[in-house]
Amino acid sequence: MHQTVHPHDLDQLCAPGAELYARALQEGRIRTAVAEAAPCLVDGALLQPDVRDTDWLLPTPPSVALPRLLRGIEDGIAAQRRRESRLTEQFAPLLQLHSSQQADQDTAAITVLEGIPRVRSALAHAVRACAEEALSLQPGSEVPAEIARSRPYEQDILSRGGTIRTLYEHSHRHLPLVLDHFASLTGDVQVRTLDEVSEQLLVFDRAVAFLPANSARTVALEIRHPALIDYLVLSFERLWRLATPMHPVIAPLPATDGVTDRQRAIAALLVEGETDDRIAERLGLNVRTCRTHIAHLATILGSSNRAQLGYLIGRSGILDGPA
């Protein structure tokens, strides 16, 4: 009967091969025709032709055959390692390039700027690169030194034909420092005010934005992610449409039934249960001015005490007036 022979690598002796090799070692030789059932023995040089009689095969001693087979395996491993080294060497610059690009992209999206010198340096760089538009949202906590420091940067943008739009709180409308600052600028600069402005925001050419990252403003976020920039600009534009012009043309604050926007903002915080100090802090007022507005509300609504004032504010409908 014809026996199917399956070739294989000699990393493990097949059953027929092991049997024939053991037989050849015992008998000293084996016929060539018999060894055809296990060609791996000849291919692996475990059986070699008898030069005196080609009908017979002589077994290679195991002490000789095993080291030779092991060397072949070691040579194969060495060849694979050389391939690994070549591939690693070829891909090394590509991996480095990709890592650098990925790091640049991640860094460009949001950068944490720690320390006032680094923050100011980044802002100065953004101002120098700004060619079209600067948007600024400034809460009531802005100090005179910051206003004075911003003048050369703002004028630099205006001198290149750029525009500046700034949002302040109503409390800034009559501050001489603020009024003189914008009067000293030459170019397309517009200022509007709101009852309450959230945290500071600066956007340049709708390409880079800056937000404070701590209350002391010694850490800032430099944002360059397009989606985040779009969101911040959209938020600014919505506030801008609700704000009252202050510069270059000043518009009076709207009033309803003798109650100004500022007083409505105070009334809303009174209803929330805020103290005078907290209301003044949130709206950028001093406490004395805040209490003057509260007294005016009490007079208009006929309130004799704080608890009654909150109740009368809720019933009056003044919180439904224009913001």
Side-chain angles (χ1 to χ4, degrees), residues 186-298:
T186 302
D188 185 5
V189 55
Q190 303 173 48
V191 185
R192 294 186 181 184
T193 63
L194 287 166
D195 276 321
E196 186 175 5
V197 171
S198 59
E199 195 49 86
Q200 188 180 49
L201 168 67
L202 299 170
V203 183
F204 298 96
D205 280 347
R206 308 195 178 200
V208 57
F210 295 88
L211 290 171
N214 65 350
S215 58
R217 297 188 185 178
T218 57
V219 181
L221 299 180
E222 179 180 334
I223 301 172
R224 293 183 180 272
H225 193 290
L228 292 176
I229 296 290
D230 289 345
Y231 173 81
L232 294 172
V233 171
L234 178 62
S235 299
F236 179 92
E237 294 292 357
R238 286 175 175 170
L239 293 174
W240 184 260
R241 287 193 294 270
L242 296 172
T244 303
M246 170 185 161
H247 180 87
V249 177
I250 187 168
L253 295 176
T256 301
D257 297 328
V259 179
T260 65
D261 278 354
R262 168 63 70 195
Q263 290 160 357
R264 272 197 298 277
I266 293 174
L269 295 176
L270 282 170
V271 171
E272 292 178 11
E274 295 281 19
T275 64
D276 294 354
D277 290 342
R278 178 60 180 158
I279 292 172
E281 179 183 352
R282 289 185 61 177
L283 299 182
L285 303 171
N286 61 54
V287 177
R288 179 179 297 179
T289 300
C290 178
R291 288 172 178 163
T292 299
H293 285 302
I294 293 174
H296 179 71
L297 288 170

